[in-house]
């Protein structure tokens, strides 16, 4: 199958997951210059070269083929060796650039037959539950197995140290409906790990809640969601939406952006 070239601004990096087919992979997603979604999967992010590893708000370019096991229109099977990083989208341009993609609710996203969407919540409450020692030990063992199985041609990566916490977000959508989702945003777990080294567990949770519930919500917060590939409208089933991004996106004026 012949590959094609594409590019986008990265908005979503979910936590790394174990995969029997692809080892350790990350589901990423972003928006192209045409303001349409792209989903990049699988991405062996921690095994990319340093100069290939990208951040949120960074433009990337890559080659891809159409996946054979995923019929969501936005999905692309990336060729990892082709990944290149470019510059960042300036902060002042982000809100207007993404304004046409922000929805009020899943009902609106479902009506548009989207499998990736941004929703601006009215209220949020973030909670953290410690994983059991057994859960952490199992995750650590499985990630070590994957690291040991890496091909000799891959860039070596240390086994992933799983986050000790499972995060959940209770929130109110733009139509006033109460929602609750486990949070699979990689940056949320990484922020907790940084805060814990400085403030301890209780202080880290307090700092994380302040970051999202106060700072981000006041300035502008959107939640990034992806459907599960086996439960989406293209398969004739009810969408199962997964929370994969907690993104600061400052409020923009109504009508400030025009296509």
């Amino acid at each position: 199958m012949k590959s094609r070239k594409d590019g986008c601004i990265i908005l979503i990096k979910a936590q790394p997951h174990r995969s029997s087919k692809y080892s350790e992979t990350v589901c990423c997603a972003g928006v192209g210059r045409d303001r349409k979604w792209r989903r990049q999967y699988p991405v062996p992010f921690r095994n990319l070269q340093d100069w290939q590893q990208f951040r949120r708000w960074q433009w990337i370019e890559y080659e891809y083929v159409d996946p054979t096991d995923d019929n969501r229109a936005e999905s692309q099977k990336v060729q990892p060796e082709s990944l290149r990083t470019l510059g960042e989208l300036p902060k002042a341009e982000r809100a207007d650039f993404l304004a046409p993609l922000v929805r009020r609710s899943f009902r609106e996203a479902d009506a548009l037959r989207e499998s990736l969407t941004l929703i601006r919540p009215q209220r949020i409450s973030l909670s953290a539950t410690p994983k059991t020692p057994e859960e952490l030990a199992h995750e650590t063992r499985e990630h070590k197995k994957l690291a040991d199985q890496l091909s000799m041609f891959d860039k070596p990566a240390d086994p992933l140290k799983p986050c000790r916490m499972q995060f959940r977000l209770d929130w109110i959508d733009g139509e006033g409906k109460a929602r609750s989702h486990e949070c699979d945003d990689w940056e949320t777990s990484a922020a907790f790990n940084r805060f814990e080294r400085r403030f301890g567990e209780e202080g880290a949770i307090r700092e994380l809640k302040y970051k999202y519930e106060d700072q981000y919500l006041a300035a502008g917060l959107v939640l990034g969601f992806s459907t599960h590939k086996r439960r989406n409208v293209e398969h004739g089933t009810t969408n199962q939406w997964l929370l994969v991004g907690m993104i600061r996106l400052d409020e923009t004026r109504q009508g400030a952006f025009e296509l």
Side-chain angles (χ1 to χ4, degrees):
M1 186 182 299
K2 187 175 181 180
S3 63
R4 286 170 280 174
K5 292 183 178 181
D6 205 352
C8 69
I9 183 79
I10 287 292
L11 297 179
I12 289 168
K13 282 168 47 184
Q15 294 191 70
H17 286 277
R18 303 181 303 275
S19 165
S20 58
K21 186 175 181 182
Y22 299 115
S23 295
E24 181 190 284
T25 60
V26 175
C27 180
C28 302
V31 176
R33 296 183 188 279
D34 57 1
R35 293 178 177 83
K36 293 183 180 179
W37 281 101
R38 275 87 162 147
R39 176 187 290 103
Q40 300 85 26
Y41 184 83
V43 178
F45 186 83
R46 295 197 314 123
N47 301 111
L48 296 175
Q49 299 298 319
D50 292 344
W51 52 269
Q52 291 182 299
Q53 295 190 358
F54 47 81
R55 305 176 299 276
R56 179 174 286 163
W57 301 117
Q58 192 164 23
W59 290 99
I60 64 170
E61 59 183 17
Y62 52 87
E63 295 183 9
Y64 75 98
V65 296
D66 293 327
T68 58
D69 58 350
D70 186 348
N71 67 355
R72 293 171 294 182
E74 301 92 342
S75 295
Q76 302 172 327
K77 185 177 179 181
V78 173
Q79 309 295 299
E81 66 280 1
S82 71
L83 270 165
R84 300 289 184 274
T85 58
L86 305 172
E88 286 193 358
L89 182 66
K91 288 183 180 180
E93 299 177 15
R94 294 171 185 175
D96 283 350
F97 182 78
L98 293 176
L101 300 177
V102 178
R103 311 298 176 218
R104 299 181 67 240
S105 66
F106 294 132
R107 186 174 64 86
E108 186 176 346
D110 287 340
L112 295 167
R113 303 184 70 82
E114 295 177 330
S115 72
L116 288 158
T117 197
L118 300 173
I119 297 179
R120 194 180 290 280
Q122 294 185 32
R123 295 196 302 276
I124 64 169
S125 177
L126 183 70
S127 59
T129 303
K131 297 176 184 175
T132 67
E134 293 77 17
E135 289 172 327
L136 286 171
H138 175 72
E139 288 186 38
T140 300
R141 284 195 304 270
E142 293 303 306
H143 281 292
K144 185 178 185 306
K145 287 180 186 177
L146 292 177
D148 291 342
Q149 293 169 5
L150 288 174
S151 161
M152 63 179 293
F153 299 106
D154 287 328
K155 170 181 175 283
D158 293 332
L160 178 71
K161 183 178 180 180
C163 182
R164 296 194 307 103
M165 294 291 177
Q166 177 62 62
F167 299 100
R168 175 167 288 277
L169 191 75
D170 296 299
W171 58 287
I172 306 295
D173 70 16
E175 296 178 348
K177 186 167 184 177
R179 302 282 187 178
S180 183
H181 284 83
E182 284 192 355
C183 179
D184 204 30
D185 177 35
W186 196 358
E187 291 195 6
T188 300
S189 294
F192 171 81
N193 291 337
R194 291 195 305 272
F195 288 147
E196 186 180 33
R197 289 192 292 269
R198 295 178 59 191
F199 307 114
E201 180 181 309
E202 291 186 6
I205 295 172
R206 184 172 58 250
E207 289 293 318
L208 204 60
K209 287 174 68 67
Y210 175 69
K211 172 181 177 177
Y212 289 119
E213 296 177 8
D214 294 304
Q215 290 182 317
Y216 277 29
L217 193 64
L221 172 71
V222 292
L223 307 178
F225 292 92
S226 170
T227 62
H228 194 292
K229 74 175 182 179
R230 288 185 293 275
R231 289 195 62 189
N232 66 89
V233 292
E234 297 300 327
H235 285 95
T237 61
T238 302
N239 273 337
Q240 178 183 350
W241 289 98
L242 309 175
L243 176 57
V244 287
M246 303 264 285
I247 306 166
R248 175 169 175 168
L249 186 67
D250 294 2
E251 297 271 7
T252 187
R253 299 184 307 278
Q254 186 79 18
F257 181 87
E258 296 182 1
L259 282 174

